[in-house]
């Protein structure tokens, strides 16, 4: 999270200065892998430099947003051929990016530059050549933070937090107060603005989207506890409204430890999370929000480790190393194996793609720079069945 040495609304954010030496996000934070028409897959991420230098002497962060081909060489952590796409004073992080059906790119990030309320959620929209259509700095909300974006057909859906409540939460840094959705068209013009929760101490909103539905996921502060409650809801971007009330998935999720993906091949969402006791969970959820399958006793999905979708398969980066392979079908979610190799991955951002039938390539945002890992599922480690009974989803 962006930090500045000023008294302000987001006092909890400023407390990160005291943790600058042990917070890996000071080096790099937030990564997306996007497919632009006529271009190789592109990595978009926030970093404090190439290589990353970490916090400034005063404790503040100064990330810019970079772009590079996913397959570009990485030499001792330094990507070759990377360039800054968005660069301003203070920090623009964590970067989140999505490409819509028209081949346009939106990038959104929490921004410490020139904000009346210390930080602001901003965005920019670009064409396939990364030329600005409605380029940064566009404002989602001054005072907004922790936003992520997904594409829904030709539209972009930005899910973000507003306001901050000091104290409690992870490292006693506090929590968000509200979460809100804004929908933008292909030119970056606002279509809808929808409050999802108000006054509940909700934060770290993430999402995935089909062309017509978005699954919104967020955490809710629990007083005097080291864990949060995990909530989700289905949103209709075309109408700008929720389809039904939000529903609770876990009462004891680890802070920030959940991810969600849409699998077009099976028209289902997969949501993965880690409980405070280290147990991994995964759900198969339909486009209308019906929970079909739940898996339990999984290895813990990695914090900010993006699921990698390949047709009806999904690979989950894991917090204790390597990746877990899931096989997905309507009404069916099964564990197909685990990578024998188990490199440790960053908590600041991990993205990847299948680079062969059974080869998964991940890029991890580490303190030294970028680290590429190649994992093989040709002979996956055998795993047991982790299905839970339907009653466990109540």
């Amino acid at each position: 999270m962006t930090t500045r040495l000023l008294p302000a609304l987001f006092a909890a954010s400023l407390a990160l200065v005291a943790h600058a030496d042990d917070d890996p996000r000071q080096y790099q934070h937030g990564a997306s892998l996007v497919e632009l028409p006529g271009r190789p897959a592109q990595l978009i991420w926030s970093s404090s430099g190439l290589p990353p230098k970490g916090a400034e002497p005063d404790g503040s962060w100064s990330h810019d947003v970079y772009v590079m081909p996913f397959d570009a060489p990485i030499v001792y952590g330094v990507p070759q051929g990377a360039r800054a796409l968005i660069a301003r004073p203070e920090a623009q992080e964590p970067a989140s990016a999505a490409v819509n059906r028209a081949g346009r790119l939106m990038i959104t990030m929490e921004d410490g530059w020139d904000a009346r309320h210390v930080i602001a959620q901003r965005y920019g929209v670009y064409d396939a050549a990364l030329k600005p259509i409605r380029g940064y700095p566009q404002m989602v909300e001054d005072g907004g933070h922790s936003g992520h974006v997904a594409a829904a057909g030709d539209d972009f859906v930005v899910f973000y937090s507003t306001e901050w409540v000091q104290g409690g939460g992870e490292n006693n840094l506090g929590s968000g107060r509200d979460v809100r959705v804004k929908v933008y068209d292909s030119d970056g013009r606002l279509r809808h603005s929808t409050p999802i929760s108000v006054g509940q101490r909700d934060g770290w909103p993430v999402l995935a989207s089909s062309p017509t539905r978005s699954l919104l996921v967020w955490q809710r502060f629990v007083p005097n506890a080291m864990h949060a409650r995990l909530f989700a809801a289905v949103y209709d971007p075309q109408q700008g409204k929720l389809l039904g009330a939000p529903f609770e998935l876990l009462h004891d999720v680890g802070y920030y430890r959940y991810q969600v993906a849409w699998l077009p091949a099976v028209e289902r969402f997969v949501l993965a999370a880690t409980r405070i006791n280290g147990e991994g969970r995964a759900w198969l959820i339909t486009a209308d929000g019906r929970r079909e399958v739940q898996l339990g006793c999984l290895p813990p999905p990695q914090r900010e480790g993006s699921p990698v979708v390949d047709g009806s398969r999904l690979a989950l980066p894991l917090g204790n190393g390597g990746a877990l392979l899931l096989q997905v079908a309507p009404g069916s979610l099964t564990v197909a194996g685990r990578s024998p190799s188990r490199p440790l991955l960053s908590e600041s951002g991990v993205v990847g793609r299948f680079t062969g039938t059974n080869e998964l390539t991940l890029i991890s945002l580490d303190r030294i720079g970028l680290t590429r890992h190649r994992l093989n599922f040709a002979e996956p480690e055998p795993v047991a069945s982790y299905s839970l009974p339907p009653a466990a989803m109540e």
Side-chain angles (χ1 to χ4, degrees), residues 325-354:
L325 185 65
L326 302 179
Q327 187 67 46
V328 188
S332 174
L333 180 64
T334 57
V335 177
R338 181 173 181 177
S339 63
S341 176
R342 299 187 184 181
L344 294 179
L345 304 170
S346 167
E347 291 192 343
S348 299
V350 179
V351 296
R353 61 198 303 253
F354 280 86

Side-chain angles (χ1 to χ4, degrees), residues 83-107:
R83 68 179 180 91
L85 184 60
I86 296 171
R88 288 293 194 281
E90 297 291 340
Q92 291 79 52
E93 59 81 30
S96 175
V99 175
N100 72 358
R101 185 166 50 197
R104 290 185 172 178
L105 168 74
M106 176 179 274
I107 303 173

Side-chain angles (χ1 to χ4, degrees), residues 123-126 131-138 185 187-190:
Y123 74 96
V125 175
Y126 303 84
K131 303 299 183 183
I133 300 295
R134 189 178 293 258
Y136 169 93
Q138 305 296 319
D185 69 13
D187 293 321
R189 296 173 299 201
L190 180 66

Side-chain angles (χ1 to χ4, degrees), residues 304-386:
E304 300 199 43
S306 299
V308 182
V309 174
D310 177 49
S312 61
R313 300 187 300 171
L314 181 142
L316 288 175
L318 295 176
N320 55 8
L324 190 72
L325 185 65
L326 302 179
Q327 187 67 46
V328 188
S332 174
L333 180 64
T334 57
V335 177
R338 181 173 181 177
S339 63
S341 176
R342 299 187 184 181
L344 294 179
L345 304 170
S346 167
E347 291 192 343
S348 299
V350 179
V351 296
R353 61 198 303 253
F354 280 86
T355 47
T357 302
N358 293 299
E359 182 184 78
L360 176 70
T361 299
L362 301 176
I363 290 182
S364 178
L365 306 189
D366 296 323
R367 292 171 182 259
I368 63 168
L370 302 181
T371 304
R372 180 176 281 126
H373 303 281
R374 288 189 171 88
L375 308 179
N376 201 308
F377 288 107
E379 297 180 2
E381 177 183 299
V383 292
S385 172
Y386 294 105

Side-chain angles (χ1 to χ4, degrees), residues 2 9 39 45-46 62 67 70 96 99 104 144 160 219 253 256 281 287 292 294 298 302 307 325-327 336 365 393:
T2 306
L9 178 64
R39 298 173 65 91
W45 82 106
S46 295
S62 58
V67 60
F70 180 81
S96 175
V99 175
R104 290 185 172 178
Y160 68 101
Q219 63 190 18
V253 69
Y256 305 97
R281 291 283 181 100
E292 290 188 315
Q294 182 181 180
L298 298 174
Q302 178 62 306
L325 185 65
L326 302 179
Q327 187 67 46
L365 306 189
M393 292 189 288

